[in-house]
Amino acid sequence: MTNAEWATRGNKVFIGTYSRFPAAMVRGSGCRLWDADGKEYLDFLAGIAVCSLGHCHPAVTEAIRRQAGDLVHVSNLFHTPPQIELAELLVNNSFADRVFMCNSGAEANEAAIKLARIHSGEGRYEIISLAGSFHGRTLATVAATGQPRFHQGFEPLPQGFVHAEFGDPGTIEALITPQTCAVLCEPLQGESGVRPLDPGYIRAIRDLCDRHGLLLIFDEVQTGLGRTGTLFAHEQLGVTPDIMTLAKALGNGLPIGAMLTTERIAASLTVGTHASTFGGNPVAAAAAVEVLSIMLADGFMASVREKSAYFVGKLEAVARRYPHLATGVRGRGLLLGLVLTDKGIEHGPDIVQQMFTEGALINFAGNRVLRFVPPLIVDTAEIDQLIDILCRVLDRLA
Ligand SMILES: *Cc1c(COP(=O)(O)O)cnc(C)c1O
């Protein structure tokens, strides 16, 4: 079966929610993927910041195999060792004392929204999030997402979500009412174009929450687990949230999410108030235990930061070489964006397509930046190769 044959079959049976590259991926290893036609790709998408240890990391694959031979699922009517080990690792390496396990980022945010509401009580249900944010595709997380294009056609959305302008804590304060219970934000907005929140801004948000008795929820679904060069992005900002959500990289490709909080706040979710049939599934949890063990080993985060500095230098050189197409680089760790000029933006989708044709996978985030989210195990030779391909494509546009 070729790519074209797979695509024809797929396009006949799927609801058309995705605009897919015309390739059927059949194998992955490290930062490489292979499609059904045997073509090799250099993967700087990592399944959208998911496969942070690269495709089919041998230790993760082995953990999955081992657990799949022992026990695949029993539901949360029982304890399972991998889920407990994972929760302990998360608690021992974060501000949090308690964890709720689920299967995706949207579900982790749903749990955070429910917790914020039930904990605040007394008619306090409103959550302030930021313009340009992305929090998921369920109805509540779509309502939390500060981008109207995700709302259109799905109204009426669940009540209790308002959006503040990006960058100005005053616009958050202006939205606070007696109904407000929390502020929800990403430490760095991924989907809307790799936009970091600066530390002063985040500190001002923390301060607002403290003064008004609001919970601060960090959506670290994309920024978490080493993506920005520390286990959690907020460690670099000097600000601790009350609730944090994780998902993407947690299982290195197996679906798993988590919502973390403190002992005091967690006490508000009691027996029967929230649940997930698959949440913290033993196979996904066993993969996540392995992921965290690898990431927490000495030197891992330092290597991410080193490769980030190298990659940023290369991307800045690209921006200088093509000033008519790119204005600069932003992001943290290995969540980086090449910010395009108006002319560059016109070519954005075409650049991504041509990179694909040349065997390199990136995407166009927020209709303004080329986003690079390679596996965190990427090496400098792979970064060089990506930059060569990018320059070849940009030369053709020049
Ligand atoms: C991807 C993402 C989500 C949604 O995660 P899903 O697993 O697709 O539900 C939520 N928040 C952020 C910041 C994300 O990047």
Side-chain angles (χ1 to χ4, degrees):
M1 288 277 295
T2 64
N3 281 331
E5 287 163 338
W6 280 119
T8 303
R9 276 172 69 178
N11 291 337
K12 276 201 191 107
V13 289
F14 288 124
I15 293 175
T17 51
Y18 302 109
S19 154
R20 297 180 205 258
F21 287 101
M25 295 302 179
V26 295
R27 194 162 65 83
S29 176
C31 298
R32 309 273 164 181
L33 280 172
W34 288 269
D35 71 17
D37 293 351
K39 180 176 164 185
E40 181 180 303
Y41 299 86
L42 181 60
D43 183 8
F44 273 52
L45 274 179
I48 318 183
V50 166
C51 300
S52 284
L53 299 181
H55 296 283
C56 301
H57 186 287
V60 178
T61 297
E62 180 49 33
I64 294 169
R65 279 211 177 94
R66 204 182 329 115
Q67 185 59 41
D70 287 343
L71 183 70
V72 172
H73 176 81
V74 286
S75 87
N76 286 301
L77 295 173
F78 305 91
H79 294 285
T80 65
Q83 197 186 99
I84 294 166
E85 286 169 16
L86 174 58
E88 285 174 350
L89 277 169
L90 289 170
V91 163
N92 291 339
N93 291 284
S94 72
F95 71 93
D97 312 301
R98 298 274 171 174
V99 184
F100 177 85
M101 301 275 187
C102 53
N103 310 285
S104 68
E107 255 190 282
N109 285 333
E110 287 272 349
I113 292 163
K114 284 182 72 176
L115 174 57
R117 286 188 176 190
I118 202 164
H119 179 74
S120 304
E122 293 170 7
R124 297 171 67 198
Y125 59 88
E126 208 160 71
I127 294 179
I128 302 172
S129 57
L130 300 184
S133 60
F134 181 81
H135 298 295
R137 300 296 204 126
T138 61
L139 279 170
T141 58
V142 158
T145 292
Q147 301 186 63
R149 68 191 173 99
F150 291 105
H151 300 168
Q152 275 147 24
F154 299 110
E155 298 91 350
L157 294 172
Q159 295 286 294
F161 297 92
V162 291
H163 305 108
E165 256 170 57
F166 182 93
D168 175 6
T171 67
I172 297 178
E173 188 151 34
L175 290 172
I176 297 174
T177 72
Q179 283 76 49
T180 308
C181 68
V183 175
L184 164 64
C185 62
E186 303 150 85
L188 180 164
Q189 293 188 341
E191 295 309 302
S192 66
V194 192
R195 282 202 294 181
L197 278 61
D198 73 54
Y201 179 37
I202 291 251
R203 276 196 292 274
I205 296 175
R206 174 74 270 182
D207 199 51
L208 272 180
C209 288
D210 291 342
R211 277 193 284 123
H212 293 270
L214 310 178
L215 297 172
L216 177 57
I217 308 170
F218 280 166
D219 177 345
E220 291 231 26
V221 167
Q222 183 159 159
T223 54
L225 290 324
R227 179 50 63 187
T228 68
T230 46
L231 190 59
F232 307 115
H234 71 260
E235 294 169 35
Q236 293 166 59
L237 299 167
V239 170
T240 304
D242 300 297
I243 301 174
M244 172 171 68
T245 55
L246 299 174
K248 287 193 165 88
L250 188 53
N252 205 51
L254 263 69
I256 185 163
M259 187 267 286
L260 286 71
T261 190
T262 62
E263 184 75 35
R264 186 179 65 84
I265 298 167
S268 296
L269 281 177
T270 53
V271 171
T273 53
H274 196 48
S276 167
T277 299
F278 295 117
N281 164 282
V283 179
V289 166
E290 196 57 46
V291 167
L292 279 174
S293 311
I294 292 167
M295 287 186 179
L296 290 167
D298 270 357
F300 186 90
M301 294 302 160
S303 83
V304 173
R305 292 192 290 267
E306 271 164 34
K307 285 178 284 198
S308 171
Y310 182 81
F311 196 10
V312 168
K314 293 279 171 177
L315 287 172
E316 279 170 347
V318 169
R320 282 194 301 273
R321 184 164 154 192
Y322 305 93
H324 54 300
L325 296 172
T327 62
V329 182
R330 67 188 183 199
R332 290 209 171 83
L334 289 172
L335 174 45
L336 296 173
L338 184 67
V339 185
L340 299 180
T341 61
D342 287 343
K343 179 157 188 278
I345 288 170
E346 273 172 45
H347 291 290
D350 186 37
I351 294 168
V352 171
Q353 276 305 319
Q354 290 197 40
M355 298 279 293
F356 167 80
T357 306
E358 298 274 340
L361 305 178
I362 62 165
N363 80 344
F364 188 43
N367 292 323
R368 78 186 72 180
V369 314
L370 299 177
R371 178 171 56 174
F372 305 91
V373 281
L376 304 180
I377 55 145
V378 69
D379 63 29
T380 51
E382 287 161 333
I383 292 171
D384 289 345
Q385 191 190 352
L386 189 285
I387 294 287
D388 283 349
I389 296 173
L390 179 62
C391 289
R392 213 180 305 149
V393 168
L394 296 183
D395 278 338
R396 286 204 289 260
L397 297 175

